[in-house]
Structures are given as C-alpha cells and as structure tokens.
Amino acid sequence: MSTTIKVDFAKKTGKRVQQLHGFNSGPMTKVFTYDARPLFVEGGFPYVRLHDSEYPYGSGEFIDIPCIFKNFDADENDPKSYNFGNTDEYIRQSLNVGSRIIYRLGVSIEHSPVKRYTDSPKDFAKWARICEHIIRHYNEGWADGYHWNIEYWEIWNEPDLDRETDNKRCWSGTAAEFAEFYTVAARHLKSCFPHLKIGGCGFSSVRNCFIEDFFKDISARAPRAPMDFYTWHRYKGVVAAYAEGAAIVRDLLTEFGYGEAESILDEWNMIYGWDRDNQAESYRAMKDHRGAAFYAGVLCVLQEKSDVCIATQFEADVVKEFCGIFNVKDMCVGGLIYGSAKLAELEPTKGFYAFKSFNLLYRMQNSVTLFCDNDGVHATAAAGEEGVGVLVSNQSGEQTDAVLELSGVRGEIAVRLTDATHTNEVLMRLSAGEAVKLTLPMAPDSFAYIGTDLPDPVPNY
C-alpha cells in the first residue's frame, strides 16, 4: 500500500499549532521521590492538569479541596484553616519545568467501596468561598502565597460518571444538584476573578443524559451560569474517535448557548475497551510502539480536525497504569530536599517521543497546508523561524510506503522513525533545498517525524 502526503511549508493555514501535548500530574510524583523534571523539559509539555494527583485522595495533602481545607466547618477566611504546603511545592515544580496549570477544584476519583468525599458539599456557597481563597493564595499572595497567575480553574471532575450505578466514584448527586452546585461556584468565582477562566466539569463522555440535563438547567438560568471553557474526556482505541468527539462537544456547546467556550480535552488515552481483557491489553500497548503511534495519531487529528485548544493526556505519573510515556529507570527512595535530592529517575518510553515530536511542531508555531490520501494515516505539519516539520502516524493496520512530497523546505531535515524496532531513530538526514521527495516504509503502528532537529530546551530549575 502507498500513501501520498504533500506538505507546503510556505503556505500557512492561519491556525497556530495548539497546546495539545500536556499531561495530568506534574514532574515530581510519589511524594517528591520520582523525578521526571528533565523529561518534562525535554518534552516541552505546555500544561499540567492537577487531578488525581498523588492518588489516592491526594495522599491527604495534595490539590483536593478536602486536603487543603481539612475541616469544612472551619473559618474559610482564616489562613490557619488551610493546608497549602505540599500543594505549593507540587505546583512550584510544575511551573519550574515550564508547564502551566489547569487546577481542578474538587476531589479525586474514589474506587474504594466506602466513599469519603464524593457527596456534594453541604454548603455550596462556602465551598465556593474556600475555592476563592485558594485562588487568592496562588495568584494574589494571600496566606503567604504567590503570584503565579494560574489562569484555568476547573470545577469538579466527571460528575456524570456512574450515573446508572450505585457506585458513584466522583459525584453522588443528581444532574440537577450538580447544576445548582456548578452555578453557585462559577458565579462566585467569576465575580471575584473576571480576568480568570472559570469552567468545567471534566465530563466522562462527550454527550449523555446527565450532561444534557446539566446544560438545560444552567443555560436556562438568568443570568446563565458562566463557562469560559468546557472540559471533557475521551478514552478510545481509534484515532478518528477524537475528532468525532470534539465535533459532538462543539455541537453540544452551541446548542445550549455556550458556543464561545473553549474546548479542552483534559483526559484521554488509548483504551481498547473497559472489560478485563481489553483493559489489560490497553495498559500493555500504552508502553510500546502501539501506544506511541496512537498518541502521535491523536495529536495529528486534534490539530488538523478539531477545535480543541488544549489537551492533557492521562497520565504522567509513572506509578499509575495509565502512564504510557515513562518507565522507572533507577529506583531510589529519599525525596526532594532543598539543596540536595535523593530521587528515583525515569526513562522515556516510545510514547514519550510522540509528544516530544509534536512539541517540535508547537515550537514552530504555524500550521501549514497538508494533503494525505489515506484515511488510516494521520499527519500534521508546521513551519516557523526555527524550522519546518511534519508528524506522520500509520494507523491503517497495514504496512504503507509513505511518499512524502515536501516543498518550502529550509536547511537540513532529519527523518526519525518509531516502531516496534526503532525508537526516535534517525534514518537519514537530508539537505535538498526547497523541495524534497522521499519514500518512507512505515509498519503498522508506527510514526515518523520528518523535519528540523531543534535543540532540546535547557533545564532551569
């Protein structure tokens, strides 16, 4: 099989390369004993979403509202009521590697039979005021805080999960109760911080009856509940499902009067199915060439065929089964100590290089015109002052000869391949003036980066 891919690096589409290569969890995990900071810098991950951080339950210390404000009956105006210490350090390490923050206000998922925090807050208005003080701590210096200018504040996570079961892992209430909760919180936070982006709600699906009931409720209120951005999740094993999901989300938002809201995919990964056998095989695939090629394909599709402006993949924490980008290299338990460190080091998987390759396009900034004649092969390309590049993923299920016709090439370009036997390996380097034509054999579940080799960013932490 042959696939023709034509790219004109001189013709910009007018669209920027989006911030799609972010992650859930920061670079310092397992209570600051696993150190992914060098790899975060190398990969250029633009966003860290703070959710399920230091799972389970934030280890009682991280991110979640019950971890920061441990006694809901305490005075929310008193700095002594808050426990910021470890969350401060977690965010600091994320910012130090150049990532920005999406802060999920709420609680982590609870898989245990006995739920601790998934009941709706007993006082919605007080919960909103607690969140207000958390924002003031991180953005306005309140309670010996910081001026970190965290822009995105997400209300809750997956309230629609388990809507048809008794095992409510994220929200125990109804859609109507959640709509009231969201409205109270979003109105209060937006009134306090009109310059920040307030939204939610990390829904587990692109559309279902819970989501529809939620939107019917909040859109009918006068004034309607604010929503600057909308967050949703997608766990599928087919690349095309991500563009389809983004289109459904945009139609949903437009239908209920929120068409101006940013679409943010802040959880996604490759899942063949949620039954026992498919889940197990999915976790194995995430770590090998299948996951790597899938990740590259999704990044291509989100850039070329969706209006998603930010995406954060689940998951960068190496101890979680969903982590497809890191393995543990050297195990060492000690922790982060100011002035010194005794830390476990990580190493990249094949999947890491899908995100690193996309970051090269992100650094080039400008999307350019591209043609591909194979629906099972996905590609995206960019050009800028630093160079030119194209990312190609073979999801067709067959061997293909990718015939690349590139115009507007400047300087030397590298051809890097990742498949079952290659990991970001340079197959050749070319200096061919304005036009390049080459044929690249690509096995099933492989991806290639063809373009300028940019130097890795220098760590500064």
Side-chain angles (χ1 to χ4, degrees), residues 80-192:
K80 295 178 181 178
S81 301
Y82 293 80
N83 170 48
F84 287 117
N86 278 313
T87 300
D88 289 355
E89 191 59 37
Y90 195 94
I91 295 175
R92 187 195 322 278
Q93 296 301 330
S94 299
L95 296 174
N96 282 348
V97 296
S99 300
R100 292 178 290 279
I101 300 295
I102 297 174
Y103 197 117
R104 187 271 293 126
L105 298 164
V107 298
S108 298
I109 192 171
E110 298 197 29
H111 294 292
S112 64
V114 178
K115 311 305 180 190
R116 301 172 66 188
Y117 305 120
T118 59
D119 286 343
S120 57
K122 60 184 178 181
D123 183 335
F124 294 171
K126 181 173 183 178
W127 189 91
R129 294 192 299 273
I130 293 167
C131 294
E132 171 199 343
H133 286 85
I134 292 172
I135 296 174
R136 294 196 188 282
H137 174 75
Y138 288 114
N139 283 1
E140 298 180 357
W142 183 79
D144 296 322
Y146 308 91
H147 294 83
W148 282 340
N149 193 31
I150 298 174
E151 185 177 19
Y152 287 92
W153 297 88
E154 177 186 29
I155 297 172
W156 218 255
N157 175 77
E158 294 191 348
D160 61 317
L161 188 68
D162 309 314
R163 61 193 179 279
E164 297 176 356
T165 77
D166 294 329
N167 183 32
K168 308 292 187 184
R169 289 173 289 172
C170 289
W171 176 263
S172 65
T174 65
E177 290 168 336
F178 186 75
E180 175 66 18
F181 166 70
Y182 176 84
T183 298
V184 170
R187 282 179 176 171
H188 179 75
L189 295 179
K190 194 63 182 177
S191 69
C192 293

Side-chain angles (χ1 to χ4, degrees), residues 357-369:
S357 296
F358 188 84
N359 185 57
L360 297 178
L361 305 186
Y362 176 70
R363 290 166 65 180
M364 295 166 191
Q365 299 186 343
N366 303 297
S367 174
V368 298
T369 60

